[in-house]
Amino acid sequence: MKKVSFYTLGCKLNFAETSTIGRQFLEHGYSVVDFDQSADVIVLNTCSVTEQAERECRQIVRRILRNSPDAFIVVTGCYAQLQPEAIASIRGVDLVVGTKDKFDLLKFAQPFKKKPLPDIFVSCIDDLHSALPANSADVGGRTRAFLKIQDGCDYPCAFCTIPLARGGSRSVSLNDIITQAREIASRGYKEIVLTGVNVGDYGRKINSSLLELLRNIKYIDGIERIRISSIEPNLLSYELVDFILNSDKFCNHFHIPLQSGSDNLLRKMRRRYSTNNYRDIVEYIKNNDRNASIGADVIVGFPGETDELFNETYDFISDLPVSYLHVFTYSERPKTSAVKFQNKIPLNIRHKRNEVLRRLGVKKRHDFYSSFIDNILPVLFEGNVHDGRIAGLTPNYIRVEVDGNTSLVNSIHNIKIKNVQDNICFGERINQSSHLLKIKNSKVELINN
């Protein structure tokens, strides 16, 4: 039996798509093996968001050749769509496939025999009007599955290559999503993470909406938690927040990209909200559920970011009740409008600002975690066991470790938080049978049966 392995760079959407491609190989008689094992075919699904992701692509190809020097190497994904010739020039690459054809690798590559020069199949994506379904559910493994509901983006943000790499915004049909969700449930997964490029834009072109999707997907039997991966602040309505917070199935966890705490820079970035808009939605969430987790993406070093404007961002985030940060150092991306902007920030200053905000993010997360010491939270345990301890996640995205083994995997247990160390909560299990637990709507309650 021939073997195939996969390596995924970038977002949760990429992971969902990689898993879907993997199932296609399984259906054609391949055995899927771990990436570090020798394989006949290796598929690398790439990202183009940062410069580091592109460098990683080259490094991973070299690593592949060390482990499997005769393997047929396929590179697909966003970087493949944007820079196919650059990828084709990497020694060892046999096939480059763009966005439009990534789910047809078997058609393009059979019988996977190496050639002197790589083939390139990269098509124009201007005519993409539908999104193919995908999910990350595989036999065994993780307890959470990523479910693709949307692809592409119509927003012309000055720094972003995603519309160039994935095309315009389009939605997976509601029926396809429900079918995929039922498949995930049938495989025993307890949690679904709804993912896409611009999730909040779901349904706009197919006479639907994200709220309609949530109202339908919550009835899938077997799924105990539904999480939304990320949603733009201008698309996160009060009505949507209310629906999520008032449902026992949806996680009280919101990841809301910010990018900058300066209105001046937000306008230059071509974002569709102001700092006041952002603050309003964050405060609305926290006023309705103080235990909700709110994460934010931030870019530092964008052209024109003076010390004064960076300090605006720092002060804005400091005063905001967000729970954690993902901090990105701005990097020039070809074909984006920001490449032509003046007043570029020296790299050393970009990196210093990244470190400053990263430390702020660490403090925010520690303070949020610490607020739950001596409280009891439901934890869905995953398959990561180390030194006799096992880790899992609460609905509000707190990572918790307890003494335990693989018998806890894919089960939910009430855990009393004892202390916080290195951005991990450590806790102990309490008697499952004698307590009910409620952690939403502004309070944590432990109720005797």
Side-chain angles (χ1 to χ4, degrees):
M1 180 180 289
K2 288 194 172 183
K3 299 176 181 178
V4 61
S5 68
F6 297 88
Y7 196 99
T8 304
L9 295 168
C11 62
K12 295 177 176 66
L13 179 56
N14 267 7
F15 279 94
E17 292 179 339
T18 297
S19 295
T20 298
I21 295 169
R23 287 191 290 277
Q24 293 176 348
F25 276 85
L26 285 172
E27 291 167 1
H28 281 77
Y30 281 79
S31 170
V32 177
V33 299
D34 290 341
F35 176 72
D36 286 325
Q37 295 182 14
S38 177
D40 301 290
V41 180
I42 299 175
V43 180
L44 172 56
N45 193 0
T46 61
C47 171
S48 67
V49 171
T50 67
E51 189 176 32
Q52 289 76 9
E54 295 185 9
R55 283 202 298 269
E56 276 188 287
C57 178
R58 293 180 176 272
Q59 293 169 355
I60 292 164
V61 170
R62 290 195 292 269
R63 180 175 159 191
I64 289 170
L65 292 173
R66 287 195 297 269
N67 293 334
S68 303
D70 298 322
F72 189 96
I73 301 175
V74 182
V75 182
T76 188
C78 293
Y79 183 33
Q81 178 69 30
L82 295 175
Q83 301 291 339
E85 291 82 8
I87 294 175
S89 70
I90 302 173
R91 185 180 68 86
V93 171
D94 298 290
L95 176 65
V96 182
V97 180
T99 297
K100 196 171 184 177
D101 303 307
K102 71 175 71 172
F103 293 113
D104 290 318
L105 299 186
L106 288 147
K107 179 179 76 174
F108 288 115
Q110 295 279 26
F112 293 105
K113 289 188 176 180
K114 297 184 79 67
K115 300 178 181 179
L117 294 175
D119 289 325
I120 298 176
F121 294 98
V122 175
S123 308
C124 177
I125 56 175
D126 291 345
D127 61 345
L128 283 176
H129 300 297
S130 61
L132 294 174
N135 70 75
S136 69
D138 296 311
V139 178
R142 302 180 64 143
T143 61
R144 293 181 293 144
F146 303 130
L147 174 58
K148 172 183 173 182
I149 67 169
Q150 184 272 343
D151 202 348
C153 187
D154 291 339
Y155 288 6
C157 297
F159 53 82
C160 187
T161 61
I162 290 178
L164 301 172
R166 285 188 171 268
S169 179
R170 52 204 189 275
S171 302
V172 179
S173 74
L174 180 58
N175 286 339
D176 281 343
I177 293 171
I178 297 301
T179 298
Q180 297 262 312
R182 286 175 176 151
E183 177 187 342
I184 291 169
S186 72
R187 296 188 179 204
Y189 285 77
K190 293 289 195 299
E191 181 177 314
I192 285 177
V193 183
L194 303 180
T195 186
V197 174
N198 189 355
V199 167
D201 198 41
Y202 176 81
R204 179 170 56 89
K205 298 178 181 179
I206 59 171
N207 195 30
S208 185
S209 68
L210 180 59
L211 185 57
E212 182 183 2
L213 168 61
L214 300 188
R215 285 171 173 158
N216 281 272
I217 202 171
K218 76 174 185 177
Y219 293 110
I220 301 296
D221 290 335
I223 299 299
E224 298 189 31
R225 290 183 182 176
I226 302 172
R227 193 182 301 272
I228 299 175
S229 59
S230 178
I231 187 166
E232 292 288 311
N234 57 298
L235 297 174
L236 185 54
S237 66
Y238 291 164
E239 184 181 17
L240 198 55
V241 170
D242 290 342
F243 180 83
I244 291 168
L245 293 183
N246 290 321
S247 168
D248 290 333
K249 185 166 283 192
F250 287 93
C251 295
N252 53 344
H253 166 217
F254 300 83
H255 191 91
I256 314 172
L258 170 62
Q259 310 308 4
S260 177
S262 160
D263 286 319
N264 181 307
L265 289 179
L266 288 176
R267 287 190 292 270
K268 288 189 68 176
M269 291 176 172
R270 298 179 184 168
R271 301 294 285 167
R272 299 190 174 198
Y273 52 87
S274 67
T275 54
N276 283 337
N277 299 146
Y278 193 93
R279 183 187 295 277
D280 285 347
I281 194 64
V282 168
E283 290 182 345
Y284 184 82
I285 292 169
K286 297 299 283 190
N287 286 339
N288 284 276
D289 184 355
R290 72 182 186 195
N291 296 313
S293 171
I294 301 174
D297 295 331
V298 191
I299 296 173
V300 296
F302 191 77
E305 184 188 62
T306 62
D307 289 342
E308 180 182 5
L309 294 181
F310 173 73
N311 289 334
E312 280 186 28
T313 293
Y314 185 92
D315 292 342
F316 179 75
I317 296 172
S318 294
D319 293 338
L320 209 60
V322 294
S323 313
Y324 64 91
L325 301 177
H326 289 167
V327 185
F328 299 90
T329 300
Y330 172 75
S331 58
E332 286 76 7
R333 312 308 302 130
K335 301 180 182 179
T336 61
S337 58
V339 167
K340 301 176 183 178
F341 289 178
Q342 302 298 311
N343 302 316
K344 298 188 185 303
I345 309 303
L347 286 176
N348 65 318
I349 295 178
R350 298 184 205 181
H351 294 314
K352 287 180 181 177
R353 290 176 180 173
N354 182 296
E355 179 61 21
V356 169
L357 279 191
R358 191 194 66 79
R359 289 198 300 267
L360 176 61
V362 169
K363 182 181 184 302
K364 287 277 187 181
R365 189 188 295 267
H366 185 271
D367 290 347
F368 180 68
Y369 280 16
S370 297
S371 69
F372 292 93
I373 290 176
D374 291 329
N375 282 296
I376 299 167
L377 302 176
V379 177
L380 173 58
F381 286 101
E382 300 178 340
N384 302 318
V385 179
H386 182 70
D387 292 336
R389 303 184 69 82
I390 187 167
L393 284 175
T394 65
N396 56 347
Y397 209 58
I398 295 175
R399 183 154 293 278
V400 178
E401 285 192 6
V402 301
D403 291 332
N405 53 45
T406 54
S407 66
L408 297 180
V409 171
N410 206 28
S411 61
I412 297 175
H413 295 264
N414 292 339
I415 304 298
K416 185 172 185 178
I417 306 303
K418 304 298 291 183
N419 60 74
V420 179
Q421 194 173 33
D422 296 328
N423 281 328
I424 297 175
C425 283
F426 294 91
E428 62 182 16
R429 281 185 288 168
I430 66 169
N431 190 323
Q432 294 288 104
S433 61
S434 62
H435 301 89
L436 295 174
L437 186 65
K438 181 180 181 182
I439 69 162
K440 284 191 175 184
N441 300 323
S442 304
K443 56 185 176 181
V444 179
E445 296 178 348
L446 185 62
I447 308 167
N448 289 326
N449 281 342

